[in-house]
Amino acid sequence: MKLYRFLSGPDDSSFCHKVTAALNKGWHLHGSPTYAFDAETKTMRCGQAVVKEVDGVDYEPGMKLSEQ
């Protein structure tokens, strides 16, 4: 099964830690990171897609992707 997640967060170290944690759990970067201004909070936001291949498990819409 191939999994996809889009990680997002504020432009600070917490976002970097979120991506680092995913990489250390076997996820791989997919594409370029994104960077956008959130007009409501007046802050910059970051995003990064990650993918992971998991054998022996069938995809279910209710599964928590971060736990795979």
Side-chain angles (χ1 to χ4, degrees):
M1 159 180 64
K2 188 173 239 178
L3 300 173
Y4 170 91
R5 291 173 60 201
F6 184 76
L7 306 175
S8 64
D11 180 24
D12 63 17
S13 64
S14 69
F15 176 74
C16 295
H17 288 287
K18 186 184 290 189
V19 174
T20 299
L23 294 174
N24 281 287
K25 291 180 180 178
W27 293 83
H28 301 276
L29 299 177
H30 182 75
S32 299
T34 60
Y35 197 56
F37 181 70
D38 182 338
E40 188 173 313
T41 62
K42 297 184 177 16
T43 59
M44 294 303 292
R45 305 277 299 167
C46 301
Q48 175 65 58
V50 292
V51 294
K52 184 177 185 181
E53 192 81 34
V54 178
D55 294 327
V57 180
D58 292 328
Y59 173 74
E60 294 290 333
M63 69 178 18
K64 191 160 174 92
L65 298 177
S66 62
E67 294 176 358
Q68 301 305 308

